[in-house]
Amino acid sequence: MAKKTTPMALLCGYLGAGKTTLLNQILTNQKGYKVAVIVNDIGEVNVDAKLIADGAKVTDTSSIVPLTNGCICCTLKTDLVTNIENLIKSDKYDYILIEASGVCEPMPIAQSLMQVSNGNLDNVIGVVDAKRLVDEFAGGDSLLKKDMDEENIESLLVQQIEFCSTLVINKKDLVTEDEFKKVRAVINAIHPGVKVIETDHGKADIADMLATGSFDFETVYASAGWCQKLEEEEDDDDDDDDHDEHDHDHDEHEHGHHHDDDHDHDEHDEHGHHHHHHEHKHDGDSGADEDEYGIATFVYYRRKPFNRQKLDSFADKWPRNIIRCKGLMWFDDEPDMAWVFETSGRQIQAGYSGQWIAACPPAEQKKILAENPRIKDEWDENVGDRMIKLCVIGQNMDKKAITEALDGCLA
């Protein structure tokens, strides 16, 4: 008989979003759960651990495990897994909550939690500050002042919204009704269909957060707005063979951006080649219609490579009203390799995604194409499966100007 697993929930969100307040609400209303908490603070003193113990009036502080002076999405990964497994072995708790530091990216933590022996990642709960979203994504300039070194905050906010199975929008009471509608519009563009809990002061029903069974890695990853948009393109009928007329966009490189040759991406297949689908909708300017708040999505698609220097130069002038951009690309000086290009806010990065199928030996190429007929259907006689295909999500974007700028980066 298989050993019963202990469910876990990851609580993430930027500094000041209200994670600790929400956690205290959970701990004071456990409804029969015996909950252990792991708290991560970047500083040497874990302030949150004391706030949780005091705020929730916890008498048995052994149920709160502080992980300090490091980040559980990178330097403290091993400590996190070890501590959780020790809590599970103690057989004292039937649920484990992990509060990540405000500067943690949720996806690598979730990947670590999925490796915990006898543990089950039940829910990833993102907490966002409605007022901050109004300021940073809906017309405010608070993060764009030249004297503020906070460019990566935008990136974190996007990733924390994008990679969760439940999203708590906190501090609703601090924004107007119209501002909140705009917040919801931005969130819907970044993560359409995510379960949303609207609240103030972290007041939420425990049943919406614990023992939900709502987290599935592949489902959450695929539910991001950029991913859904690319999937829509793949699922549409291909009625036109003139690929160069597509409007799809993607980007890459370093400059306030990060270029990662060891980028770990889910799109490798067993051959070590990049695996993707090639069916596209040839829709000219369609798919970029703005909603009432000016939020739109479009895909930039080309069967030509980027020039590194040109793309790097454009990255320095990357439009600030692009909230998210992600997709595939390749370079003229390295035609065998597929790259994933990704931006969140002002952070721009790119990493290898594997080798294009067109670059592998003929026998292996033939085998892969036979096993993946969708790739064969759009095989280009000149470039094979190579492509640039980027989803762009933004507010009040000039699609024509962005497309022209990206075209100017082609080799």
Side-chain angles (χ1 to χ4, degrees):
M1 182 175 178
K3 180 177 172 61
K4 181 181 178 182
T5 59
T6 300
M8 303 172 289
L10 172 63
L11 188 60
C12 58
Y14 191 64
L15 301 166
K19 297 187 301 298
T20 302
T21 302
L22 178 64
L23 193 49
N24 282 335
Q25 293 279 353
I26 294 172
L27 293 177
T28 53
N29 299 277
Q30 293 185 30
K31 296 185 178 180
Y33 290 107
K34 291 179 289 184
V35 180
V37 179
I38 292 180
V39 190
N40 178 216
D41 230 346
I42 294 300
E44 293 183 12
V45 177
N46 200 320
V47 177
D48 277 354
K50 185 177 188 307
L51 291 175
I52 290 166
D54 293 346
K57 298 178 176 58
V58 175
T59 55
D60 179 12
T61 55
S62 66
S63 65
I64 301 175
V65 180
L67 293 179
T68 60
N69 209 20
C71 177
I72 59 175
C73 67
C74 45
T75 58
L76 294 179
K77 279 184 178 181
T78 301
D79 290 352
L80 173 65
V81 173
T82 299
N83 276 277
I84 293 175
E85 290 180 343
N86 288 338
L87 288 170
I88 292 173
K89 289 175 184 176
S90 75
D91 208 27
K92 293 170 59 179
Y93 309 102
D94 51 23
Y95 206 98
I96 297 173
L97 273 170
I98 302 97
E99 181 192 350
S101 161
V103 296
C104 281
E105 300 171 8
M107 186 165 73
I109 305 174
Q111 290 172 320
S112 294
L113 294 176
M114 292 172 69
Q115 305 305 314
V116 172
S117 297
N118 298 315
N120 168 41
L121 185 52
D122 173 63
N123 199 2
V124 174
I125 306 165
V127 184
V128 295
D129 178 338
K131 177 61 175 171
R132 189 155 201 153
L133 284 184
V134 167
D135 293 339
E136 292 167 14
F137 288 119
D141 296 322
S142 63
L143 291 185
L144 304 180
K145 297 176 182 177
K146 293 182 179 179
D147 59 344
M148 295 180 69
D149 185 20
E150 294 193 80
E151 293 180 346
N152 289 347
I153 291 176
E154 295 169 296
S155 171
L156 276 171
L157 286 170
V158 170
Q159 292 179 62
Q160 290 168 350
I161 292 169
E162 193 173 69
F163 192 84
C164 63
S165 40
T166 302
L167 186 65
V168 177
I169 308 178
N170 197 26
K171 305 184 185 181
K172 183 180 179 180
D173 56 319
L174 300 182
V175 299
T176 67
E177 184 177 346
D178 284 344
E179 286 173 334
F180 192 77
K181 287 179 179 178
K182 194 176 292 186
V183 164
R184 289 301 305 264
V186 171
I187 287 172
N188 188 58
I190 298 173
H191 195 163
V194 67
K195 177 182 178 180
V196 171
I197 300 171
E198 302 174 5
T199 187
D200 58 78
H201 301 93
K203 293 176 289 190
D205 192 333
I206 307 305
D208 289 331
M209 289 175 284
L210 302 190
T212 64
S214 59
F215 182 80
D216 175 79
F217 190 97
E218 295 301 328
T219 300
V220 169
Y221 183 84
S223 63
W226 68 268
C227 193
Q228 287 198 15
K229 183 64 177 178
L230 294 186
E231 287 296 323
E232 288 173 10
E233 295 292 315
E234 290 169 1
D235 290 336
D236 280 312
D237 291 334
D238 185 3
D239 297 325
D240 189 331
D241 291 326
D242 185 7
H243 296 294
D244 285 338
E245 293 303 315
H246 294 278
D247 284 318
H248 299 308
D249 107 270
H250 202 136
D251 229 305
E252 111 73 49
H253 247 120
E254 307 177 331
H255 252 90
H257 14 306
H258 172 66
H259 183 134
D260 181 9
D261 290 358
D262 297 317
H263 185 77
D264 183 16
H265 196 267
D266 292 327
E267 294 185 275
H268 294 273
D269 69 8
E270 66 273 16
H271 302 282
H273 300 297
H274 172 79
H275 181 74
H276 56 282
H277 301 299
H278 295 248
E279 295 175 53
H280 307 289
K281 175 182 172 185
H282 301 258
D283 57 357
D285 285 338
S286 66
D289 294 335
E290 297 182 349
D291 69 7
E292 61 181 310
Y293 302 108
I295 298 169
T297 302
F298 72 94
V299 179
Y300 175 87
Y301 174 76
R302 295 289 184 264
R303 300 305 291 260
K304 298 177 181 178
F306 279 133
N307 174 275
R308 288 180 195 266
Q309 287 70 36
K310 290 179 180 179
L311 188 58
D312 200 53
S313 295
F314 177 55
D316 285 333
K317 301 171 285 188
W318 190 253
R320 294 190 173 192
N321 55 348
I322 294 178
I323 298 170
R324 186 71 157 121
C325 177
K326 189 167 183 177
L328 298 171
M329 64 175 184
W330 97 100
F331 292 114
D332 61 328
D333 64 344
E334 196 175 15
D336 289 353
M337 298 306 298
W339 290 73
V340 172
F341 175 80
E342 181 172 6
T343 77
S344 298
R346 301 301 314 285
Q347 180 171 304
I348 302 174
Q349 60 186 359
Y352 287 127
S353 180
Q355 190 178 44
W356 294 109
I357 297 168
C360 69
E364 187 175 0
Q365 184 181 119
K366 183 177 179 180
K367 180 176 181 293
I368 296 172
L369 291 175
E371 295 171 351
N372 299 275
R374 294 185 70 182
I375 298 175
K376 188 175 181 180
D377 287 345
E378 277 210 316
W379 190 265
D380 185 277
E381 63 179 12
N382 295 316
V383 299
D385 58 325
R386 298 177 182 92
M387 66 174 63
I388 299 171
K389 186 182 182 187
L390 306 172
C391 175
V392 186
I393 302 172
Q395 186 175 33
N396 300 320
M397 296 186 296
D398 185 337
K399 178 187 173 183
K400 184 174 184 291
I402 293 171
T403 299
E404 290 176 351
L406 287 167
D407 283 346
C409 299
L410 297 173

